[in-house]
Amino acid sequence: YYKERYHQLKHMIKFPKYYPPVKFFDASDGFLYVMTHVRKEGKNEVFIYDASGKFLRKVFVKMMDINRQEVYPRIRIANSRVYQLFEDIDEEIWQLHITEIPVH
């Protein structure tokens, strides 16, 4: 079914040649956290800016990978921590992952 539907609709679908520069961003406690699509060794690249927009530093934060097809990613940043909510389909439970962001 899906293969047939794909051939019927593929002329309507455009895939970008590259990802947009920003994967996710959030503001908290006077900082702006900007996550890119760069991922190395299970860590995501995050740029940290102050409230005026001045670049402070780039860090790599260990996170579970965000599902790129999710319309609304279950991730928030507060108190220099990343809060990620994931559904464990095998166990049919939700898991909360909390990771510190080295701001200073």
Side-chain angles (χ1 to χ4, degrees), residues 36-49:
T36 71
H37 286 277
V38 175
R39 188 166 168 87
K40 294 180 184 175
E41 300 173 7
K43 296 181 178 184
N44 290 71
E45 180 182 57
V46 178
F47 294 102
I48 302 173
Y49 298 86

Side-chain angles (χ1 to χ4, degrees), residues 16-24 34-38 45 68:
K17 293 183 180 175
Y18 53 86
Y19 288 121
V22 174
K23 183 175 188 175
F24 174 82
V34 180
M35 183 189 306
T36 71
H37 286 277
V38 175
E45 180 182 57
R68 291 179 179 96

Side-chain angles (χ1 to χ4, degrees), residues 16-80:
K17 293 183 180 175
Y18 53 86
Y19 288 121
V22 174
K23 183 175 188 175
F24 174 82
F25 72 93
D26 206 350
S28 172
D29 306 315
F31 296 103
L32 176 63
Y33 303 90
V34 180
M35 183 189 306
T36 71
H37 286 277
V38 175
R39 188 166 168 87
K40 294 180 184 175
E41 300 173 7
K43 296 181 178 184
N44 290 71
E45 180 182 57
V46 178
F47 294 102
I48 302 173
Y49 298 86
D50 69 10
S52 68
K54 178 183 172 198
F55 174 75
L56 298 176
R57 67 187 297 195
K58 173 177 81 170
V59 296
F60 280 86
V61 179
K62 186 170 177 56
M63 293 188 220
M64 295 183 71
D65 199 15
I66 295 174
N67 181 352
R68 291 179 179 96
Q69 296 176 352
E70 222 172 58
V71 176
Y72 186 76
R74 298 175 188 106
I75 180 173
R76 286 293 169 256
I77 297 176
N79 304 320
S80 299

Side-chain angles (χ1 to χ4, degrees), residues 79-91:
N79 304 320
S80 299
R81 292 183 184 101
V82 177
Y83 297 88
Q84 291 180 277
L85 188 61
F86 283 91
E87 182 178 12
D88 185 334
I89 297 171
D90 296 331
E91 298 291 326

